[in-house]
Amino acid sequence: MLRATGLAKSYRAPSGAPIRVLDGVDLAVRAGELAAVTGASGSGKSTLLNLLGLLEDADGGELWFGDERVSALGRAGKSRARGRWVGFVFQAFLLVPSLTALENVLLAARYAGRPAAEARRRALALLEELGVGDRRDHYPAQLSGGEQQRVAWCRAVLNEAPLLLADEPTGNLDDANGAVILDGLRRRAHAGAAVVVVSHHPEVAAGWGAVYRLREGRLEAA
Amino acid sequence: MRAEAVPRVLRILRGYAFTIAGIAIGVGGLVTLGAMSERIVRFIEGGDRFVLGQISVAGRGMGMGAGFTAGGLLPAATVRAIAAVPGVTGVQPQVMLPLNPSTSQFLTLTQELVLGLDLAVLMPNRHYRALPVRAGRFLRAGDRRVAVLGASLAAARGLRAGSRLTLEGASYEVVGVLERMLTAPDRFVFVPIEDAREQWVAKDQLLQTVLASGAAALTAADLNTGAAVGWAEGEDPDAVARRIRERVPGLNVQLPSELSRLLRSSTAFFSALLVGIGALALLIGGLSLANTMAAAVFERIRDFGVKRALGATDLQLAREVLAESLAVTLAGGLGGVALALVLGGAIDGWAARAGQELFDFSPRLLAGALVFSVLLGAAAAGYATRRVVALSPAEAIRRGA
Ligand SMILES: Nc1ncnc2c1ncn2[C@@H]1O[C@H](COP(=O)(O)OP(=O)(O)OP(=O)(O)O)[C@@H](O)[C@H]1O
Ligand SMILES: [Mg+2]
């Protein structure tokens, strides 16, 4: 389902010197599989997820969604591929501040061109399931960090995209809510999605797929 | 969905309150400056309409009179001859004298003049059946020893309706003051023609002698310096003017179109000034609007990144931005128009005490300002959106953090 080969990414330090964050990452995640990525802070986990979610172009390497080589797509093609293939949970939630919790969740359906009424029903059910149903008309600023994270989770899974990329989706949650989301990740994999999760709880992948460690720009089995 | 549209728009607008206020200020400035230049346009057009509304004729030098103004005399017989020319409908004899004999003998646009009008005849000017009076009234048939003053002349001498004015030793009551026209009549004293004739004779030694001798068989009715001539409906004024020129000798006939050209060149400064004001208003108001609108888009750079990460295409984002910028600039534009109307109204209320009016909020100005703001707002938002979507979603999110 998801296949990356030789992904490389460098940034420029303020001094102008290049920082090689990813140096040839290979990764394959099949449908129904859940891969967990761990690694030290600053090792490039978020960078890798950005590349996998087409949020940024790699300097080198190839990326395949199914049998579509998405790394070769143009701007519009990448936009459409994001809407059709990817659900993304950002490390920093990234809810749109001018929209309510419910509207934030529905954004995902809007750009993917899903029918509005059905999306709305599903969004309400998801918010309810995550315990933020009564916060649906709140704006992000009126939500706690954990509540924002749960709303962001709902947005990422609304479309039931074949690819779910989650960057520390339980970072701000208590154990109970964290468990709901970890369970949600497994359920997405069970439903046939390829899931990549950056987490300090690599045990989430136990029985569902591999655990990787990102070190010195490369992925290694942990 | 429809029912939700109104609160949705209101909420979007609330999110842009600051932007809307900024646009309102820009548009408000644009509209107030524009209204000032509209006022000037109206003045200039007023003068132009005046000269295009009549054919002006003057007597050609007969060696009579003191040689001031155009110098000639337009005897009653000539006035009748003009009236007999086909296409002519009305001839109003006039006497034009310099108010202050020490000034130049040539007619200039800045000269103060006495204009005597034969009130027994209707004003033949097609566009001004009467001159616009600001205070008091205009001259009427049967008036004697009364005067109506042009705005500049009245202001310069501190005269109002009810004041008294001495001309050639005789005392006149000022019965009216005209609106400012930004053209020659601003410096005129209008009096009944009989009074003007008396002044003329009083000024002119030679004329006194001729009249006393009876040699030239002159009567008071012959003492005209010129006339305003009207034309019949459907006639071409320039053609009528040429016809008068051909058929009645001893006349200086001004073609209305020629005079209009002359006037336009004399108001060229004001035209340039108002083009300058307008350009400045567009530039300042436009820059402020474009800047505010672009800033509002750049402020949402992170949201653009997020939306693109969720699969929004450039086209979808452009549509969103366009709709929002439309709502925002329209709200800001309407606010700016309201601001300008309130501000201009207040200033004009104060200026009215000095008999002035500084602003002309014409419908074409208000509509133009709104269209301009909406188009410019959309262009600025579109430009900013292009810049923003050129970034990768990840980069947009980073920059907006
Ligand atoms: N735009 C950028 N410009 C320069 N350096 C960057 C940029 N983005 C990331 N980096 C650097 O790349 C490295 C990897 O960053 P990344 O965010 O991927 O780390 P991470 O593994 O997700 O860390 P954390 O666990 O703290 O979230 C860091 O050293 C960071 O300083
Ligand atoms: Mg990270």
Side-chain angles (χ1 to χ4, degrees):
Chain A
M1 175 66 65
L2 170 73
R3 192 154 57 84
T5 56
L7 286 187
K9 184 73 186 175
S10 295
Y11 290 117
R12 289 211 169 273
S15 68
I19 309 170
R20 202 149 178 81
V21 181
L22 300 179
D23 190 11
V25 169
D26 300 321
L27 175 68
V29 185
R30 272 191 290 274
E33 233 177 40
L34 193 162
V37 176
T38 63
S41 175
S43 59
K45 305 183 294 294
S46 295
T47 303
L48 174 61
L49 236 49
N50 281 347
L51 297 188
L52 295 180
L54 295 175
L55 303 193
E56 198 159 27
D57 288 338
D59 299 335
E62 289 190 350
L63 183 62
W64 297 74
F65 291 172
D67 45 15
E68 190 174 0
R69 185 155 68 107
V70 289
S71 52
L73 291 173
R75 290 169 53 78
K78 280 187 175 133
S79 285
R80 278 191 293 273
R82 284 191 286 265
R84 193 166 72 233
W85 289 92
V86 185
F88 206 105
V89 184
F90 297 95
Q91 188 170 7
F93 324 139
L94 299 185
L95 299 178
V96 175
S98 57
L99 300 178
T100 64
L102 176 61
E103 288 165 340
N104 262 285
V105 176
L106 288 173
L107 266 189
R110 188 199 302 180
Y111 298 125
R114 306 277 165 131
E118 187 206 315
R120 193 183 156 82
R121 264 195 305 280
R122 186 167 149 71
L124 289 172
L126 275 168
L127 288 168
E128 208 58 58
E129 188 187 333
L130 272 291
V132 281
D134 56 342
R135 294 285 187 272
R136 63 183 215 191
D137 293 327
H138 284 224
Y139 290 92
Q142 301 165 327
L143 297 171
S144 76
E147 285 168 342
Q148 290 181 51
Q149 188 153 38
R150 282 178 274 165
V151 172
W153 166 262
C154 295
R155 187 175 68 186
V157 297
L158 179 74
N159 290 339
E160 307 188 286
L163 207 59
L164 179 61
L165 306 173
D167 198 348
E168 307 212 14
T170 59
N172 282 57
L173 297 182
D174 55 42
D175 288 349
N177 278 305
V180 171
I181 286 188
L182 293 179
D183 182 49
L185 288 168
R186 293 195 198 98
R187 273 169 34 198
R188 285 300 304 135
H190 182 67
V195 181
V196 180
V197 58
V198 169
S199 178
H200 296 303
H201 302 278
E203 63 276 11
V204 64
W208 289 90
V211 177
Y212 300 94
R213 166 174 291 278
L214 192 55
R215 212 172 63 185
E216 289 173 356
R218 286 168 179 277
L219 267 190
E220 50 193 38
Chain B
M1 265 311 179
R2 284 248 157 244
E4 277 173 23
V6 170
R8 218 177 93 75
V9 167
L10 285 180
R11 224 183 56 210
I12 288 172
L13 293 184
R14 205 165 45 214
Y16 282 100
F18 197 72
T19 308
I20 292 172
I23 290 173
I25 289 168
V27 174
L30 188 143
V31 170
T32 24
L33 285 176
M36 289 175 85
S37 89
E38 280 287 83
R39 184 80 181 111
I40 298 176
V41 169
R42 222 175 72 193
F43 280 139
I44 292 179
E45 282 176 351
D48 207 37
R49 276 168 60 78
F50 185 84
V51 300
L52 285 173
Q54 66 179 40
I55 298 165
S56 299
V57 301
R60 195 146 54 192
M62 289 174 55
M64 307 291 298
F68 36 65
T69 72
L73 195 66
L74 194 70
T78 312
V79 170
R80 281 193 298 276
I82 296 169
V85 172
V88 170
T89 53
V91 183
Q92 184 183 44
Q94 299 178 342
V95 171
M96 194 176 272
L97 307 166
L99 181 61
N100 184 347
S102 71
T103 53
S104 156
Q105 296 215 328
F106 297 100
L107 179 64
T108 68
L109 277 166
T110 55
Q111 196 175 17
E112 291 184 329
L113 296 170
V114 172
L115 183 60
L117 299 177
D118 185 348
L119 301 161
V121 182
L122 278 177
M123 269 183 73
N125 194 298
R126 276 185 176 266
H127 299 140
Y128 288 91
R129 291 305 175 190
L131 290 170
V133 176
R134 188 176 83 213
R137 63 170 179 87
F138 198 65
L139 302 173
R140 289 185 201 127
D143 271 346
R144 287 304 300 266
R145 294 288 156 88
V146 299
V148 169
L149 308 182
S152 300
L153 188 136
R157 304 190 175 208
L159 295 172
R160 281 190 297 276
S163 303
R164 293 204 78 84
L165 171 70
T166 302
L167 299 168
E168 294 303 323
S171 177
Y172 286 75
E173 187 195 349
V174 176
V175 292
V177 176
L178 297 182
E179 295 244 24
R180 203 171 287 271
M181 299 168 83
L182 281 196
T183 52
D186 282 354
R187 294 185 186 75
F188 284 6
V189 176
F190 295 86
V191 296
I193 198 165
E194 296 81 0
D195 290 334
R197 285 171 179 151
E198 281 184 18
Q199 290 174 38
W200 189 359
V201 174
K203 266 185 216 285
D204 196 323
Q205 298 276 299
L206 183 62
L207 201 55
Q208 285 169 23
T209 321
V210 172
L211 283 171
S213 73
L218 276 180
T219 67
D222 293 321
L223 295 181
N224 311 303
T225 60
V229 179
W231 57 86
E233 196 62 52
E235 291 279 353
D236 170 29
D238 282 0
V240 173
R242 283 197 198 90
R243 208 174 296 146
I244 296 170
R245 223 181 235 169
E246 282 162 20
R247 302 196 183 193
V248 186
L251 282 182
N252 269 324
V253 183
Q254 300 267 18
L255 299 189
S257 65
E258 248 169 40
L259 209 55
S260 162
R261 226 177 352 261
L262 208 71
L263 181 69
R264 279 189 184 278
S265 69
S266 77
T267 54
F269 166 71
F270 284 107
S271 298
L273 188 70
L274 72 90
V275 166
I277 292 177
L280 215 62
L282 283 183
L283 194 75
I284 295 173
L287 279 181
S288 129
L289 187 152
N291 179 56
T292 312
M293 201 61 225
V297 172
F298 285 131
E299 204 172 81
R300 285 160 169 73
I301 184 167
R302 201 192 75 160
D303 297 351
F304 281 91
V306 172
K307 288 175 176 179
R308 289 189 67 219
L310 294 174
T313 60
D314 295 356
L315 204 70
Q316 282 171 319
L317 287 178
R319 260 206 305 268
E320 272 183 33
V321 169
L322 208 67
E324 292 198 5
S325 80
L326 221 69
V328 167
T329 46
L330 210 57
L334 287 172
V337 165
L339 195 73
L341 288 177
V342 168
L343 202 74
I347 293 176
D348 263 352
W350 169 81
R353 283 186 287 172
Q356 302 289 0
E357 188 197 336
L358 303 182
F359 302 99
D360 178 8
F361 293 101
S362 63
R364 72 172 182 193
L365 171 73
L366 301 187
L370 280 181
V371 169
F372 172 76
S373 357
V374 165
L375 290 182
L376 192 66
Y383 163 77
T385 306
R386 274 189 56 159
R387 292 279 308 271
V388 167
V389 300
L391 302 171
S392 71
E395 183 64 20
I397 288 167
R398 266 197 295 272
R399 293 217 188 154

PDB file of all heavy atoms in Angstrom, chain B residues 106-127:
ATOM      1  N   PHE B 106      -8.150  94.970 -20.627  1.00  0.00           N
ATOM      2  CA  PHE B 106      -8.493  93.753 -21.358  1.00  0.00           C
ATOM      3  C   PHE B 106      -9.310  92.820 -20.491  1.00  0.00           C
ATOM      4  O   PHE B 106      -9.108  92.743 -19.293  1.00  0.00           O
ATOM      5  CB  PHE B 106      -7.221  93.051 -21.833  1.00  0.00           C
ATOM      6  CG  PHE B 106      -6.450  93.894 -22.788  1.00  0.00           C
ATOM      7  CD1 PHE B 106      -5.343  94.613 -22.355  1.00  0.00           C
ATOM      8  CD2 PHE B 106      -6.858  94.004 -24.108  1.00  0.00           C
ATOM      9  CE1 PHE B 106      -4.643  95.411 -23.226  1.00  0.00           C
ATOM     10  CE2 PHE B 106      -6.146  94.804 -24.978  1.00  0.00           C
ATOM     11  CZ  PHE B 106      -5.034  95.518 -24.541  1.00  0.00           C
ATOM     12  N   LEU B 107     -10.197  92.160 -21.140  1.00  0.00           N
ATOM     13  CA  LEU B 107     -11.044  91.222 -20.417  1.00  0.00           C
ATOM     14  C   LEU B 107     -10.229  89.979 -20.056  1.00  0.00           C
ATOM     15  O   LEU B 107      -9.729  89.278 -20.910  1.00  0.00           O
ATOM     16  CB  LEU B 107     -12.221  90.817 -21.317  1.00  0.00           C
ATOM     17  CG  LEU B 107     -13.194  89.814 -20.711  1.00  0.00           C
ATOM     18  CD1 LEU B 107     -13.891  90.393 -19.504  1.00  0.00           C
ATOM     19  CD2 LEU B 107     -14.206  89.385 -21.763  1.00  0.00           C
ATOM     20  N   THR B 108     -10.098  89.755 -18.791  1.00  0.00           N
ATOM     21  CA  THR B 108      -9.416  88.528 -18.376  1.00  0.00           C
ATOM     22  C   THR B 108     -10.337  87.765 -17.446  1.00  0.00           C
ATOM     23  O   THR B 108     -11.319  88.302 -16.938  1.00  0.00           O
ATOM     24  CB  THR B 108      -8.113  88.815 -17.618  1.00  0.00           C
ATOM     25  OG1 THR B 108      -8.455  89.411 -16.379  1.00  0.00           O
ATOM     26  CG2 THR B 108      -7.206  89.718 -18.411  1.00  0.00           C
ATOM     27  N   LEU B 109      -9.995  86.520 -17.217  1.00  0.00           N
ATOM     28  CA  LEU B 109     -10.860  85.680 -16.391  1.00  0.00           C
ATOM     29  C   LEU B 109     -10.809  86.078 -14.924  1.00  0.00           C
ATOM     30  O   LEU B 109     -11.653  85.691 -14.147  1.00  0.00           O
ATOM     31  CB  LEU B 109     -10.447  84.213 -16.540  1.00  0.00           C
ATOM     32  CG  LEU B 109     -11.030  83.534 -17.774  1.00  0.00           C
ATOM     33  CD1 LEU B 109     -10.318  82.236 -18.037  1.00  0.00           C
ATOM     34  CD2 LEU B 109     -12.526  83.321 -17.608  1.00  0.00           C
ATOM     35  N   THR B 110      -9.776  86.840 -14.570  1.00  0.00           N
ATOM     36  CA  THR B 110      -9.662  87.179 -13.158  1.00  0.00           C
ATOM     37  C   THR B 110     -10.136  88.598 -12.881  1.00  0.00           C
ATOM     38  O   THR B 110     -10.071  89.070 -11.765  1.00  0.00           O
ATOM     39  CB  THR B 110      -8.206  87.045 -12.688  1.00  0.00           C
ATOM     40  OG1 THR B 110      -7.402  87.841 -13.549  1.00  0.00           O
ATOM     41  CG2 THR B 110      -7.748  85.616 -12.717  1.00  0.00           C
ATOM     42  N   GLN B 111     -10.616  89.254 -13.928  1.00  0.00           N
ATOM     43  CA  GLN B 111     -11.006  90.642 -13.751  1.00  0.00           C
ATOM     44  C   GLN B 111     -12.373  90.756 -13.073  1.00  0.00           C
ATOM     45  O   GLN B 111     -13.268  89.968 -13.323  1.00  0.00           O
ATOM     46  CB  GLN B 111     -11.069  91.322 -15.122  1.00  0.00           C
ATOM     47  CG  GLN B 111     -11.095  92.812 -15.016  1.00  0.00           C
ATOM     48  CD  GLN B 111     -11.024  93.449 -16.394  1.00  0.00           C
ATOM     49  OE1 GLN B 111     -11.269  92.786 -17.402  1.00  0.00           O
ATOM     50  NE2 GLN B 111     -10.698  94.716 -16.420  1.00  0.00           N
ATOM     51  N   GLU B 112     -12.486  91.772 -12.228  1.00  0.00           N
ATOM     52  CA  GLU B 112     -13.790  92.031 -11.621  1.00  0.00           C
ATOM     53  C   GLU B 112     -14.612  92.888 -12.578  1.00  0.00           C
ATOM     54  O   GLU B 112     -14.140  93.914 -13.063  1.00  0.00           O
ATOM     55  CB  GLU B 112     -13.610  92.745 -10.288  1.00  0.00           C
ATOM     56  CG  GLU B 112     -12.977  91.835  -9.242  1.00  0.00           C
ATOM     57  CD  GLU B 112     -12.870  92.502  -7.892  1.00  0.00           C
ATOM     58  OE1 GLU B 112     -12.712  93.739  -7.846  1.00  0.00           O
ATOM     59  OE2 GLU B 112     -12.959  91.783  -6.882  1.00  0.00           O
ATOM     60  N   LEU B 113     -15.818  92.457 -12.822  1.00  0.00           N
ATOM     61  CA  LEU B 113     -16.636  93.126 -13.831  1.00  0.00           C
ATOM     62  C   LEU B 113     -18.029  93.409 -13.312  1.00  0.00           C
ATOM     63  O   LEU B 113     -18.546  92.676 -12.459  1.00  0.00           O
ATOM     64  CB  LEU B 113     -16.765  92.232 -15.074  1.00  0.00           C
ATOM     65  CG  LEU B 113     -15.493  91.925 -15.861  1.00  0.00           C
ATOM     66  CD1 LEU B 113     -15.769  90.856 -16.896  1.00  0.00           C
ATOM     67  CD2 LEU B 113     -14.977  93.195 -16.526  1.00  0.00           C
ATOM     68  N   VAL B 114     -18.603  94.459 -13.872  1.00  0.00           N
ATOM     69  CA  VAL B 114     -20.029  94.704 -13.665  1.00  0.00           C
ATOM     70  C   VAL B 114     -20.735  94.182 -14.910  1.00  0.00           C
ATOM     71  O   VAL B 114     -20.330  94.491 -16.028  1.00  0.00           O
ATOM     72  CB  VAL B 114     -20.305  96.211 -13.496  1.00  0.00           C
ATOM     73  CG1 VAL B 114     -21.810  96.465 -13.491  1.00  0.00           C
ATOM     74  CG2 VAL B 114     -19.647  96.730 -12.235  1.00  0.00           C
ATOM     75  N   LEU B 115     -21.770  93.366 -14.702  1.00  0.00           N
ATOM     76  CA  LEU B 115     -22.517  92.875 -15.850  1.00  0.00           C
ATOM     77  C   LEU B 115     -23.967  93.323 -15.695  1.00  0.00           C
ATOM     78  O   LEU B 115     -24.671  92.907 -14.770  1.00  0.00           O
ATOM     79  CB  LEU B 115     -22.438  91.350 -15.925  1.00  0.00           C
ATOM     80  CG  LEU B 115     -23.127  90.730 -17.141  1.00  0.00           C
ATOM     81  CD1 LEU B 115     -22.507  91.237 -18.445  1.00  0.00           C
ATOM     82  CD2 LEU B 115     -23.066  89.211 -17.096  1.00  0.00           C
ATOM     83  N   GLY B 116     -24.359  94.201 -16.616  1.00  0.00           N
ATOM     84  CA  GLY B 116     -25.746  94.650 -16.609  1.00  0.00           C
ATOM     85  C   GLY B 116     -26.575  93.757 -17.511  1.00  0.00           C
ATOM     86  O   GLY B 116     -26.192  93.490 -18.646  1.00  0.00           O
ATOM     87  N   LEU B 117     -27.699  93.269 -17.014  1.00  0.00           N
ATOM     88  CA  LEU B 117     -28.537  92.364 -17.791  1.00  0.00           C
ATOM     89  C   LEU B 117     -29.883  93.020 -18.071  1.00  0.00           C
ATOM     90  O   LEU B 117     -30.475  93.642 -17.183  1.00  0.00           O
ATOM     91  CB  LEU B 117     -28.773  91.064 -17.010  1.00  0.00           C
ATOM     92  CG  LEU B 117     -27.544  90.241 -16.667  1.00  0.00           C
ATOM     93  CD1 LEU B 117     -27.943  89.040 -15.824  1.00  0.00           C
ATOM     94  CD2 LEU B 117     -26.820  89.796 -17.929  1.00  0.00           C
ATOM     95  N   ASP B 118     -30.346  92.866 -19.307  1.00  0.00           N
ATOM     96  CA  ASP B 118     -31.686  93.355 -19.654  1.00  0.00           C
ATOM     97  C   ASP B 118     -32.695  92.344 -19.127  1.00  0.00           C
ATOM     98  O   ASP B 118     -32.899  91.282 -19.714  1.00  0.00           O
ATOM     99  CB  ASP B 118     -31.808  93.506 -21.169  1.00  0.00           C
ATOM    100  CG  ASP B 118     -33.143  94.113 -21.555  1.00  0.00           C
ATOM    101  OD1 ASP B 118     -34.039  94.195 -20.675  1.00  0.00           O
ATOM    102  OD2 ASP B 118     -33.286  94.505 -22.726  1.00  0.00           O
ATOM    103  N   LEU B 119     -33.329  92.696 -18.018  1.00  0.00           N
ATOM    104  CA  LEU B 119     -34.183  91.725 -17.328  1.00  0.00           C
ATOM    105  C   LEU B 119     -35.551  91.595 -17.971  1.00  0.00           C
ATOM    106  O   LEU B 119     -36.341  90.724 -17.599  1.00  0.00           O
ATOM    107  CB  LEU B 119     -34.303  92.102 -15.856  1.00  0.00           C
ATOM    108  CG  LEU B 119     -32.922  92.129 -15.179  1.00  0.00           C
ATOM    109  CD1 LEU B 119     -32.962  92.927 -13.891  1.00  0.00           C
ATOM    110  CD2 LEU B 119     -32.437  90.717 -14.916  1.00  0.00           C
ATOM    111  N   ALA B 120     -35.836  92.465 -18.938  1.00  0.00           N
ATOM    112  CA  ALA B 120     -37.106  92.349 -19.657  1.00  0.00           C
ATOM    113  C   ALA B 120     -37.078  91.104 -20.550  1.00  0.00           C
ATOM    114  O   ALA B 120     -38.108  90.611 -20.988  1.00  0.00           O
ATOM    115  CB  ALA B 120     -37.343  93.600 -20.497  1.00  0.00           C
ATOM    116  N   VAL B 121     -35.868  90.595 -20.826  1.00  0.00           N
ATOM    117  CA  VAL B 121     -35.713  89.412 -21.668  1.00  0.00           C
ATOM    118  C   VAL B 121     -35.307  88.238 -20.781  1.00  0.00           C
ATOM    119  O   VAL B 121     -34.507  88.394 -19.874  1.00  0.00           O
ATOM    120  CB  VAL B 121     -34.604  89.663 -22.720  1.00  0.00           C
ATOM    121  CG1 VAL B 121     -34.467  88.465 -23.644  1.00  0.00           C
ATOM    122  CG2 VAL B 121     -34.884  90.930 -23.486  1.00  0.00           C
ATOM    123  N   LEU B 122     -35.880  87.096 -21.079  1.00  0.00           N
ATOM    124  CA  LEU B 122     -35.473  85.905 -20.320  1.00  0.00           C
ATOM    125  C   LEU B 122     -34.021  85.578 -20.619  1.00  0.00           C
ATOM    126  O   LEU B 122     -33.559  85.783 -21.745  1.00  0.00           O
ATOM    127  CB  LEU B 122     -36.336  84.713 -20.726  1.00  0.00           C
ATOM    128  CG  LEU B 122     -37.697  84.621 -20.048  1.00  0.00           C
ATOM    129  CD1 LEU B 122     -38.467  83.435 -20.608  1.00  0.00           C
ATOM    130  CD2 LEU B 122     -37.539  84.486 -18.539  1.00  0.00           C
ATOM    131  N   MET B 123     -33.330  85.035 -19.628  1.00  0.00           N
ATOM    132  CA  MET B 123     -31.956  84.619 -19.897  1.00  0.00           C
ATOM    133  C   MET B 123     -31.981  83.544 -20.972  1.00  0.00           C
ATOM    134  O   MET B 123     -32.635  82.521 -20.816  1.00  0.00           O
ATOM    135  CB  MET B 123     -31.291  84.078 -18.638  1.00  0.00           C
ATOM    136  CG  MET B 123     -30.570  85.169 -17.863  1.00  0.00           C
ATOM    137  SD  MET B 123     -29.699  84.531 -16.431  1.00  0.00           S
ATOM    138  CE  MET B 123     -28.349  83.706 -17.217  1.00  0.00           C
ATOM    139  N   PRO B 124     -31.303  83.770 -22.089  1.00  0.00           N
ATOM    140  CA  PRO B 124     -31.402  82.810 -23.195  1.00  0.00           C
ATOM    141  C   PRO B 124     -30.552  81.559 -22.992  1.00  0.00           C
ATOM    142  O   PRO B 124     -30.612  80.641 -23.799  1.00  0.00           O
ATOM    143  CB  PRO B 124     -30.914  83.608 -24.408  1.00  0.00           C
ATOM    144  CG  PRO B 124     -30.162  84.757 -23.870  1.00  0.00           C
ATOM    145  CD  PRO B 124     -30.455  84.919 -22.418  1.00  0.00           C
ATOM    146  N   ASN B 125     -29.754  81.526 -21.935  1.00  0.00           N
ATOM    147  CA  ASN B 125     -28.868  80.364 -21.756  1.00  0.00           C
ATOM    148  C   ASN B 125     -29.674  79.092 -21.529  1.00  0.00           C
ATOM    149  O   ASN B 125     -30.517  79.011 -20.649  1.00  0.00           O
ATOM    150  CB  ASN B 125     -27.924  80.603 -20.569  1.00  0.00           C
ATOM    151  CG  ASN B 125     -26.792  79.618 -20.554  1.00  0.00           C
ATOM    152  OD1 ASN B 125     -27.008  78.419 -20.443  1.00  0.00           O
ATOM    153  ND2 ASN B 125     -25.575  80.126 -20.691  1.00  0.00           N
ATOM    154  N   ARG B 126     -29.402  78.095 -22.354  1.00  0.00           N
ATOM    155  CA  ARG B 126     -30.150  76.840 -22.297  1.00  0.00           C
ATOM    156  C   ARG B 126     -29.932  76.092 -20.998  1.00  0.00           C
ATOM    157  O   ARG B 126     -30.768  75.329 -20.567  1.00  0.00           O
ATOM    158  CB  ARG B 126     -29.674  75.912 -23.415  1.00  0.00           C
ATOM    159  CG  ARG B 126     -30.356  76.238 -24.636  1.00  0.00           C
ATOM    160  CD  ARG B 126     -30.037  75.311 -25.752  1.00  0.00           C
ATOM    161  NE  ARG B 126     -30.909  75.795 -26.775  1.00  0.00           N
ATOM    162  CZ  ARG B 126     -32.108  75.295 -26.998  1.00  0.00           C
ATOM    163  NH1 ARG B 126     -32.528  74.246 -26.348  1.00  0.00           N
ATOM    164  NH2 ARG B 126     -32.882  75.836 -27.891  1.00  0.00           N
ATOM    165  N   HIS B 127     -28.762  76.234 -20.467  1.00  0.00           N
ATOM    166  CA  HIS B 127     -28.422  75.451 -19.274  1.00  0.00           C
ATOM    167  C   HIS B 127     -28.620  76.220 -17.988  1.00  0.00           C
ATOM    168  O   HIS B 127     -28.673  75.649 -16.920  1.00  0.00           O
ATOM    169  CB  HIS B 127     -26.979  74.947 -19.381  1.00  0.00           C
ATOM    170  CG  HIS B 127     -26.753  74.061 -20.553  1.00  0.00           C
ATOM    171  ND1 HIS B 127     -25.618  74.117 -21.315  1.00  0.00           N
ATOM    172  CD2 HIS B 127     -27.533  73.104 -21.117  1.00  0.00           C
ATOM    173  CE1 HIS B 127     -25.705  73.221 -22.295  1.00  0.00           C
ATOM    174  NE2 HIS B 127     -26.857  72.605 -22.198  1.00  0.00           N
TER     175      HIS B 127
END
